[in-house]
Amino acid sequence: METTIRKVDKQQVWELRHQVMWSDKPFDYIKLEDDDLGFHFGLIRENKLISVVSLFINNEEAQFRKFATLQQEQGKGYGSALLDFVLKEAKIRGVKRIWCNARINKVDFYRKFGLQESKSNFIKDGKSYVIMERYL
Ligand SMILES: CC(C)(COP(=O)(O)OP(=O)(O)OC[C@H]1O[C@@H](n2cnc3c(N)ncnc32)[C@H](O)[C@@H]1OP(=O)(O)O)[C@@H](O)C(=O)NCCC(=O)NCCS
């Protein structure tokens, strides 16, 4: 089935973020103060938003945040396609180092994209995270 990846509005990513990542929290919980400063990317299949991620560039460094694929569409390669796209997009925009706060259960997934675990880790809202990074 045909898919496209393109920039989407923050309102569109909010819905998916909430549904996939924090459906037990109020809707506003998933909004970020920096959302107006970020690039929001979505993978779309037949007009339906399937997977989203947001990229925040700060000079030569960038963080990607709030990566989420609809539950029923996970494990089909959509997230990988979107992450590949975002890594390329960051490089095109002059980013030298890209990083994310990875949920511990996603470390192996991000390793496949060349991201490596740093020494920083933390717990937030009962979930464990490690900072993972890659030089582009
Ligand atoms: C992380 C997340 C965005 C990945 O999106 P996704 O669309 O499921 O990603 P993919 O389908 O490309 O990859 C998921 C897994 O399926 C595998 N996969 C990809 N295509 C596949 C295919 N065609 N057939 C079988 N398996 C496949 C991948 O290798 C990957 O395996 P792994 O998790 O063991 O490394 C998604 O799991 C999600 O939304 N999780 C909840 C929110 C979350 O945890 N976000 C990240 C916070 S750090």
Side-chain angles (χ1 to χ4, degrees):
M1 244 177 292
E2 193 160 321
T3 60
T4 50
I5 295 175
R6 61 169 174 80
K7 266 198 233 169
V8 294
D9 298 331
K10 63 180 180 186
Q11 287 84 358
Q12 293 177 279
V13 299
W14 286 343
E15 237 164 274
L16 227 84
R17 278 184 197 169
H18 184 249
Q19 204 178 320
V20 178
M21 305 186 90
W22 295 103
S23 58
D24 52 340
K25 300 268 203 250
F27 188 74
D28 284 353
Y29 181 80
I30 52 76
K31 297 181 181 172
L32 299 171
E33 214 174 300
D34 285 348
D35 270 332
D36 285 329
L37 307 173
F39 296 106
H40 308 290
F41 296 101
L43 183 145
I44 295 147
R45 191 192 64 207
E46 292 169 332
N47 287 325
K48 191 181 178 194
L49 192 56
I50 307 282
S51 185
V52 295
V53 68
S54 300
L55 183 69
F56 298 89
I57 299 178
N58 187 356
N59 298 314
E60 294 190 336
E61 298 204 327
Q63 180 185 12
F64 64 90
R65 303 184 69 180
K66 308 290 179 201
F67 182 28
T69 300
L70 284 177
Q71 270 98 349
Q72 67 272 23
E73 304 289 353
Q74 291 178 11
K76 299 180 183 178
Y78 294 131
S80 297
L82 185 58
L83 190 52
D84 264 336
F85 181 94
V86 166
L87 292 171
K88 287 193 185 108
E89 191 71 25
K91 193 173 166 108
I92 288 167
R93 290 170 191 270
V95 171
K96 301 272 193 289
R97 174 181 174 261
I98 191 161
W99 64 280
C100 72
N101 292 326
R103 289 185 181 181
I104 289 295
N105 63 337
K106 288 293 153 203
V107 165
D108 287 342
F109 176 75
Y110 290 126
R111 280 205 189 116
K112 295 181 194 171
F113 297 86
L115 279 96
Q116 293 180 329
E117 293 165 79
S118 73
K119 292 194 177 69
S120 312
N121 50 65
F122 60 93
I123 296 174
K124 192 181 166 214
D125 272 329
K127 295 190 199 291
S128 301
Y129 297 84
V130 60
I131 293 182
M132 293 188 74
E133 61 184 4
R134 177 179 157 181
Y135 289 85
L136 298 174

